[in-house]
Amino acid sequence: MKPSVSFWVGTHSRQVYMTVLANVIQPLDYSKLKSVELALLLIQASPELVYDIIHKPQNHYHQLHVKRRKGSSIRRVVYKTSLDARRLHRTIALSLEPFIQGLPPHIQGFRKGYSVVSNAQLHCAKTEVAVADIKDFFGSITTRRVQELFQHLGAEYQPALMLARLCTLNEALPQGGRASPGIANLVADSLDKLILNHYPSLTYSRYADNITLSGNGCPTYDELDRIFAQCGFTLKPSSYRRIRSGDGQYVTGLNVDSDRPKVPRRVRRDIERALHVSTRYSIEEYMLSAYKTIPSTGRVNGFKKSLLGMISSYGAVDEAQRQEWLAKLRSIQSKPSLQAKPAGQNIHESPI
């Protein structure tokens, strides 16, 4: 008898389990999905499991509230999926990879070989830059739109509907779903094409839900809003900015006023301040000074991951700087007890 998911989870490490999945999962050929029964066979799922994921989502989706960028009090809802749901989502995500890699280079997010740096590079030293976000990007992509995507890729109606319901929660793509980014990229391709048709002389890119156009004669808010609406999306009002050269042009968090992307001074200063105090004293003392409360082990680990993420993202602009930051991060010593401080030094007076 073939071992079940629960067997693997109970008797093997997560790393071994994911390795087994990588060897077992085969990309789907959507042109062969003529029936639900055949689709179940190809994604290696029982009818009972698929029914449970679709009709009892509380068993497979755990809601998390993730803090947004600094200054925002609204938390983003992200879902952690069960191992069973994650396996099926991963199967579908892998099957979409050839289609995603076939997308044009102006689609920069959720793709191998592209980053916030490559996206910003497209818009360096331009006369004008216009940026805007798609409001509730994943939430705008409904089960019906996902089903239509699978049908467009070759699947018949019923298996396409089943796959769409597997990939969506509450009739929309969930943030945190393994297949959600790839599906969103493919669905939003219609928006990309329409914008390019309206503004062929401008440089255009989309990084996830972030839209950027640069050159001469960038569109106004109203012009973009009308195009978004035609494709079933909504422009986030507070996100629209149209900036002239020299006025501080930023694309995906990087300054593009010059001929190459640069890390904003504020971000560079924040990273270096955190690394300086954490290496000189400890990361706990830095967090105590910054947040005025003694951090738990979980918060310390979370802060380290956050700092590593910032270094990896922004450090990609300058490899030498990234290596320097990583070396400092590796040298940080943990000091769970905050009782012993350097003689004569009040950490709250540290210049951070």
Side-chain angles (χ1 to χ4, degrees):
M1 180 181 293
K2 188 175 181 179
S4 65
V5 168
S6 59
F7 171 81
W8 281 108
V9 174
T11 59
H12 292 71
S13 71
R14 174 178 170 77
Q15 183 178 2
V16 172
Y17 173 67
M18 296 309 291
T19 301
V20 170
L21 285 185
N23 293 329
V24 170
I25 292 173
Q26 299 296 323
L28 293 176
D29 183 346
Y30 287 95
S31 64
K32 294 181 179 179
L33 299 187
K34 303 300 182 183
S35 66
V36 169
E37 291 76 15
L38 184 55
L40 290 171
L41 179 64
L42 291 175
I43 65 174
Q44 301 181 40
S46 67
E48 292 79 14
L49 174 59
V50 171
Y51 181 90
D52 199 57
I53 293 174
I54 293 174
H55 295 282
K56 300 178 181 178
Q58 67 275 13
N59 296 339
H60 298 276
Y61 293 91
H62 176 60
Q63 191 177 98
L64 304 174
H65 295 273
V66 179
K67 190 174 181 180
R68 293 177 183 265
R69 64 174 65 95
K70 187 176 180 180
S72 176
S73 59
I74 303 174
R75 292 180 176 265
R76 184 172 69 251
V77 176
V78 178
Y79 291 92
K80 181 179 180 181
T81 55
S82 67
L83 284 175
D84 284 328
R86 197 175 314 152
R87 177 178 67 83
L88 296 183
H89 289 174
R90 185 171 183 270
T91 300
I92 296 167
L94 286 176
S95 72
L96 295 174
E97 196 62 28
F99 301 101
I100 294 167
Q101 291 308 312
L103 291 171
H106 57 253
I107 301 176
Q108 293 273 312
F110 308 135
R111 299 181 68 185
K112 294 177 182 177
Y114 297 87
S115 67
V116 293
V117 179
S118 65
N119 183 58
Q121 183 68 61
L122 295 172
H123 305 283
C124 285
K126 295 297 180 72
T127 304
E128 193 175 56
V129 170
V131 295
D133 291 345
I134 302 171
K135 182 179 179 182
D136 191 18
F137 185 35
F138 284 0
S140 301
I141 299 173
T142 62
T143 302
R144 180 175 179 179
R145 296 178 79 172
V146 178
Q147 172 209 321
E148 290 172 348
L149 170 66
F150 288 134
Q151 285 185 271
H152 176 73
L153 296 179
E156 294 293 333
Y157 174 82
Q158 287 296 339
L161 177 59
M162 182 196 72
L163 292 176
R165 295 181 71 186
L166 271 176
C167 293
T168 54
L169 175 67
N170 300 325
E171 294 296 314
L173 284 180
Q175 285 204 47
R178 179 65 177 80
S180 294
I183 292 172
N185 257 351
L186 292 168
V187 171
D189 186 42
S190 60
L191 173 64
D192 303 322
K193 290 176 179 176
L194 191 57
I195 292 176
L196 283 168
N197 287 338
H198 277 76
Y199 304 100
S201 63
L202 297 179
T203 300
Y204 169 77
S205 70
R206 177 173 57 79
Y207 190 92
D209 62 346
N210 180 258
I211 302 289
T212 307
L213 295 106
S214 61
N216 294 312
C218 288
T220 64
Y221 172 89
D222 289 336
E223 289 170 341
L224 271 184
D225 191 40
R226 284 193 291 270
I227 295 174
F228 276 40
Q230 289 180 51
C231 297
F233 293 106
T234 304
L235 193 158
K236 186 177 179 181
S238 61
S239 69
Y240 177 82
R241 297 187 304 280
R242 189 175 174 184
I243 314 129
R244 300 284 299 177
S245 177
D247 291 340
Q249 296 175 335
Y250 290 88
V251 175
T252 45
L254 298 173
N255 183 283
V256 295
D257 278 322
S258 62
D259 60 353
R260 66 183 182 86
K262 294 181 180 178
V263 179
R265 288 187 187 134
R266 176 187 57 79
V267 175
R268 184 185 295 271
R269 188 171 59 245
D270 287 347
I271 292 174
E272 292 180 346
R273 181 187 296 130
L275 291 172
H276 171 73
V277 177
S278 297
T279 52
R280 186 175 180 183
Y281 304 111
S282 73
I283 195 167
E284 287 84 2
E285 296 203 53
Y286 169 76
M287 293 183 68
L288 172 62
S289 177
Y291 305 114
K292 310 306 179 188
T293 58
I294 296 176
S296 64
T297 301
R299 287 195 66 191
V300 169
N301 292 334
F303 181 77
K304 285 181 180 178
K305 290 180 180 179
S306 175
L307 191 55
L308 176 61
M310 289 181 69
I311 291 172
S312 299
S313 179
Y314 289 107
V317 176
D318 185 336
E319 181 60 25
Q321 179 70 81
R322 187 175 76 90
Q323 292 301 329
E324 180 184 334
W325 284 343
L326 287 174
K328 288 182 179 180
L329 183 63
R330 285 191 292 266
S331 70
I332 290 176
Q333 299 296 317
S334 182
K335 189 190 295 182
S337 173
L338 295 172
Q339 301 306 313
K341 296 183 176 63
Q345 172 68 51
N346 182 346
I347 190 64
H348 295 289
E349 296 175 357
S350 295
I352 64 169

